Structures are given as structure tokens and as C-alpha cells.
């Protein structure tokens, strides 16, 4: 079992193109299991909940980088700033300001990605594509955050190929924002693709993929990329 998780990570890392970063999405995985992924070469752990992250961080510590990939609540920002190396899910001016405020207090600069609701789905987190530029113009002046790219969940399609036009739309948006040359805004990272869709995402320019089932539960349909 434990060897298996190590092997899964090794396998994925060996298949990823040069320059692509793997975020292992831990979900509610026990810290000991996260350590197995790290033994296989995982260098970035993604967490959806600050409380879960805190628990894992106590065991794992700074030997990896921590990305926040869930929905960040204002009242959790202070705690999150002590754990995370990147917040992938900024989707409002208010949350950006809160991050900036707490980072200013501890003299930290936080790299962030803006989460985009590229499929314009109701009840999906993220800003609509046309609102990304206005959001960036409002937050690019915040001294203690650095916008480094975009992130999306993408619509949950029936087949991985259904995601392709949305992933392509993300890349177009990223390139357009880059061309604006906004101060403090760098479009270095495009975080998209999960277990079922990361191959497609890579084809459309993702350089961060976030994988959970592929690492921890490869026997599921999702883990085999069959969904
Ligand atoms: C769970 C999760 C993932 C990983 O999903 P899998 O399909 O298990 O690979 C990626 N990104 C986010 C934001 C998640 O919540």
C-alpha cells in the first residue's frame, strides 16, 4: 500500500513534461500518507481546508511547499498565512486585501493565483473571465501579494476531452492578461487539470496540475483517468 503511493508519484513525475509542477491534492489524507507521497518525490502539497493543512503541516513541516486550493474564508486567512506558500484560489478583492493585510503584519509576500470560473457555471467558485482584468487592476497595487497566474477547476465534463475548449480559453486569457503588462502581475503559472483531465490540460498549456485520486486512489475510475 505505502509503496504503491510512492510509485504512483514517481510514475506521474516521470510522465510530466519538463517545467510542469505537480501539486498532490491531499484532501483529507492522513499526514502519514502524505509522507509516502513525499517519499515518491512530491514537492508541493495542495490542501482544501486550512484546518486539515494545519494538522498535516505539524507532521510534514517545511520540507515541501504548501498550496491552498480550496475556498478561503476570511476568518481563516491569518492562520493560512503561516502555512501556505501559495494561495491558488483568490477570487475577490476582499480576500486579496485580507491576505495582503496579514502578510504585511508578518513581513511576508504571498504568491497568489486568481481562480477563474471559465465554464461560467452557477455555484462554481472563481471569477468570470471578463472580471479577471478588473480584479487584477484592483489588487495589483497590494504590496504584500504577487499575482503569478491563473487557476481553474474547469467544468466537470463527462469526458476529459469536454474540458479542452475551457482549458484553451484559460490559456488565451492568461496570454491576454500577460500582454497588458500590469504592475506586480506576472502570468507564470496556469494551474489546471485534475486526475481525469490533466493530460488534456497539459496539451493546452497547464504548468501546474493538481492530482489527488491519481496518487492516492489509482484503482478508482478517476484514478485511471477513465472518467
Ligand atoms: C480534489 C481536488 C483536486 C484533485 O482531484 P482528483 O480528481 O482527485 O485528482 C484538484 N484540485 C482541487 C481544487 C481539488 O479540490
Amino acid at each position: 500500500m505505502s509503496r504503491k503511493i510512492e510509485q504512483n508519484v514517481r510514475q506521474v513525475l516521470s510522465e510530466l513534461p519538463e517545467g510542469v509542477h505537480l501539486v498532490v491534492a491531499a484532501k483529507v489524507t492522513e499526514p502519514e500518507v502524505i509522507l509516502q507521497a513525499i517519499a515518491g518525490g512530491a514537492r508541493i502539497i495542495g490542501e482544501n481546508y486550512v484546518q486539515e493543512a494545519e494538522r498535516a503541516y505539524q507532521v510534514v513541516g517545511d520540507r515541501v511547499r504548501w498550496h491552498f486550493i480550496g475556498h478561503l474564508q476570511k476568518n481563516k486567512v491569518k492562520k493560512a498565512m503561516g502555512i501556505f506558500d501559495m494561495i491558488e484560489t483568490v477570487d475577490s478583492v476582499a480576500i486579496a486585501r485580507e491576505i495582503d493585510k496579514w502578510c504585511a503584519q508578518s513581513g511576508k509576500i504571498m504568491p497568489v493565483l486568481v481562480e477563474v470560473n471559465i465554464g461560467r457555471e452557477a455555484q462554481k467558485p472563481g471569477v468570470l473571465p471578463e472580471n479577471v482584468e478588473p480584479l487584477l487592476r484592483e489588487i495589483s497595487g497590494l504590496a504584500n501579494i504577487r499575482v503569478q497566474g491563473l487557476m481553474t477547476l474547469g467544468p466537470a465534463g463527462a469526458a476529459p476531452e469536454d474540458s479542452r475548449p475551457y482549458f484553451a480559453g484559460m490559456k488565451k486569457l492568461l496570454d491576454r492578461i500577460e500582454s497588458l503588462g500590469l504592475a506586480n502581475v506576472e502570468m507564470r503559472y496556469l494551474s489546471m487539470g485534475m486526475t481525469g483531465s490533466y493530460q488534456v490540460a497539459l496539451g493546452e498549456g497547464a504548468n501546474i496540475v493538481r492530482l489527488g485520486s491519481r496518487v492516492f486512489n489509482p484503482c478508482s475510475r478517476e484514478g485511471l483517468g477513465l472518467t
Side-chain angles (χ1 to χ4, degrees):
M1 171 69 183
S2 70
R3 299 310 313 263
K4 193 74 189 114
I5 288 165
E6 274 186 52
Q7 281 167 17
N8 293 342
V9 174
R10 280 214 182 84
Q11 180 72 36
V12 171
L13 287 172
S14 74
E15 290 167 1
L16 290 180
E18 186 86 20
V20 173
H21 302 274
L22 169 65
V23 172
V24 171
K27 290 288 155 65
V28 288
T29 306
E30 287 300 313
E32 288 67 26
V33 180
I34 295 175
L35 288 175
Q36 291 163 19
I38 294 169
R43 292 295 170 261
I44 311 173
I45 305 299
E47 290 279 0
N48 292 68
Y49 301 100
V50 175
Q51 217 155 321
E52 278 296 317
E54 199 177 24
R55 223 162 60 87
Y57 183 76
Q58 278 164 9
V59 177
V60 178
D62 283 322
R63 77 185 88 177
V64 289
R65 299 176 66 76
W66 297 86
H67 283 203
F68 187 76
I69 61 173
H71 180 72
L72 189 55
Q73 292 168 297
K74 252 178 118 176
N75 62 358
K76 297 280 167 57
V77 171
K78 182 186 177 189
K79 193 164 272 179
M81 293 307 101
I83 300 170
F84 291 100
D85 302 291
M86 180 182 275
I87 306 296
E88 292 201 15
T89 51
V90 166
D91 65 354
S92 71
V93 174
I95 204 72
R97 287 221 172 98
E98 195 71 11
I99 293 169
D100 182 67
K101 181 180 95 184
W102 289 111
C103 284
Q105 293 202 357
S106 55
K108 194 167 173 173
I109 306 278
M110 181 61 72
V112 306
L113 306 183
V114 170
E115 181 171 6
V116 183
N117 181 357
I118 193 69
R120 323 182 66 90
E121 297 168 285
Q123 287 150 358
K124 245 317 192 327
V127 290
L128 293 173
E130 65 271 25
N131 293 337
V132 172
E133 181 185 338
L135 173 72
L136 289 174
R137 289 193 184 275
E138 277 206 67
I139 69 176
S140 73
L142 297 172
N144 292 77
I145 66 170
R146 291 287 180 278
V147 179
Q148 295 193 334
L150 304 177
M151 176 269 202
T152 195
L153 293 173
E161 277 299 323
D162 296 347
S163 301
R164 191 176 294 279
Y166 298 102
F167 290 156
M170 284 294 292
K171 180 67 166 81
K172 257 178 115 169
L173 180 61
L174 185 99
D175 290 343
R176 199 181 64 73
I177 298 289
E178 179 69 19
S179 75
L180 298 173
L182 300 172
N184 290 326
V185 174
E186 229 190 326
M187 289 288 113
R188 273 169 72 179
Y189 298 114
L190 183 53
S191 175
M192 58 188 191
M194 318 205 299
T195 292
S197 59
Y198 74 103
Q199 308 283 6
V200 175
L202 288 171
E204 298 304 327
N207 60 3
I208 296 180
V209 293
R210 309 176 310 267
L211 305 183
S213 346
R214 176 70 181 80
V215 169
F216 296 114
N217 189 18
C219 296
S220 70
R221 281 176 58 79
E222 258 197 317
L224 292 168
L226 297 175
T227 50

